[in-house]
Amino acid sequence: MPRGKRRSAADMGPADDDRHCSKRRHTTSSSRRHSKSEDLSSFSQKRCISWFREYTSPDDPDTLGPEGMEKFCEDIGVEPENVVMLVLAWKMNARQMGFFTLQEWTKGLTDLHCDSNTKVQNKLEYLKSFLHEPSTFKSIYRYAYDFARDKDQRSMDMETARAMLQLLLGRQWSLYGQFNNFLEQSKYKVINKDQWCNILEFSRSIHSDLSNYDVDGAWPVMLDEFVEWLKASKEQNSAKGS
């Protein structure tokens, strides 16, 4: 950023006045830096609520809907499909995907000490860090089921389930690709909560070569069928290769 031009000696007063002016400028500059620092570290619930209203309509000022969500994501520089948005929703304990109520917004962002786009951007890495702690990840994973499912249905439709599994397990479960293919070809149209929770446990405890899979284990039928499907696929590929 270009600096302001210096005044010439002809524009300046006596030496003592110059020192006084210089000191005053230094003090003013320090005060501005201090004020800026306070602004970044302080939190105002009033400012937080005012910021929320930027994304809502006069018809429903206490609900941030899909259009507002898209604008919010744009302002903080995050794609709506980014997993960090799920973590943020979890922090807010948001009830429905694509919506934040004023109460949810205030709860989550007060906890995060955020009342501006910049402050949320500065918290993104912190939010992502929750995904690396196993017990917290499990909490987020379980939360995702009720958050993403249609509230008129007890189970989650398969399209939504596959999208959420991709978001949560796509990068960390070595068998995710095969499991996704299995779901695509299977008879299942929905996933219930028991199946959802067990998919995570299966991904964490069963080796990618299935060597520690117990046929007499208490896994849901869906996962037993996945194992059978995977073994059959491997045998079929081996037969083709020989």
Side-chain angles (χ1 to χ4, degrees):
M1 183 178 292
R3 296 179 179 177
K5 295 180 180 178
R6 292 184 177 180
R7 293 184 297 171
S8 67
D11 295 324
M12 296 182 182
D16 286 344
D17 288 341
D18 183 39
R19 283 195 296 271
H20 177 69
C21 184
S22 176
K23 182 177 180 181
R24 188 171 63 238
R25 284 199 302 270
H26 176 74
T27 303
T28 302
S29 177
S30 298
S31 298
R32 284 176 181 167
R33 285 197 298 270
H34 182 63
S35 297
K36 186 175 182 181
S37 175
E38 283 185 338
D39 182 60
L40 288 173
S41 62
S42 64
F43 171 80
S44 164
Q45 191 169 88
K46 182 178 179 181
R47 191 161 57 230
C48 186
I49 293 172
S50 177
W51 176 36
F52 175 82
R53 302 276 191 227
E54 293 178 16
Y55 302 109
T56 64
S57 68
D59 295 335
D60 193 359
D62 290 346
T63 304
L64 188 160
E67 288 186 11
M69 190 70 72
E70 186 175 345
K71 179 65 167 62
F72 171 59
C73 289
E74 182 181 326
D75 287 348
I76 63 173
V78 172
E79 291 294 326
E81 298 81 13
N82 193 308
V83 69
V84 76
M85 290 302 297
L86 176 63
V87 181
L88 180 59
W90 168 76
K91 258 295 185 186
M92 294 183 183
N93 197 26
R95 183 176 178 273
Q96 186 176 3
M97 187 162 59
F99 296 85
F100 291 148
T101 66
L102 176 58
Q103 184 178 5
E104 292 164 352
W105 174 279
T106 306
K107 174 193 177 298
L109 294 183
T110 298
D111 185 42
L112 290 169
H113 225 59
C114 292
D115 53 22
S116 69
N117 294 324
T118 301
K119 290 181 182 179
V120 170
Q121 287 173 326
N122 290 338
K123 289 285 186 177
L124 292 179
E125 290 305 314
Y126 168 70
L127 289 169
K128 289 176 185 176
S129 72
F130 285 111
L131 298 168
H132 305 306
E133 207 287 307
S135 63
T136 309
F137 179 86
K138 184 176 182 177
S139 177
I140 295 169
Y141 179 90
R142 291 191 168 210
Y143 161 80
Y145 182 83
D146 289 319
F147 176 64
R149 70 177 173 83
D150 187 333
K151 300 304 179 287
D152 294 330
Q153 305 293 328
R154 294 187 63 182
S155 298
M156 186 188 292
D157 70 88
M158 187 56 71
E159 183 180 355
T160 302
R162 288 174 60 200
M164 295 303 291
L165 288 170
Q166 167 68 45
L167 193 66
L168 289 159
L169 298 180
R171 293 184 178 181
Q172 58 178 277
W173 184 22
S174 59
L175 292 178
Y176 170 76
Q178 292 96 317
F179 186 66
N180 184 56
N181 291 338
F182 162 74
L183 291 178
E184 188 177 20
Q185 300 171 27
S186 75
K187 62 186 178 184
Y188 294 99
K189 304 300 180 187
V190 297
I191 285 183
N192 63 42
K193 193 160 189 175
D194 180 63
Q195 291 167 334
W196 177 264
C197 293
N198 273 282
I199 289 168
L200 176 62
E201 297 310 313
F202 187 95
S203 72
R204 286 180 163 182
S205 60
I206 302 301
H207 300 162
S208 58
D209 61 1
L210 306 177
S211 59
N212 64 335
Y213 170 76
D214 181 3
V215 292
D216 296 321
W219 297 109
V221 173
M222 170 190 279
L223 290 169
D224 289 331
E225 291 178 350
F226 166 60
V227 171
E228 292 174 6
W229 177 88
L230 188 57
K231 287 180 176 178
S233 297
K234 288 182 176 180
E235 289 174 3
Q236 189 175 21
N237 290 334
S238 296
K240 288 180 180 178
S242 59

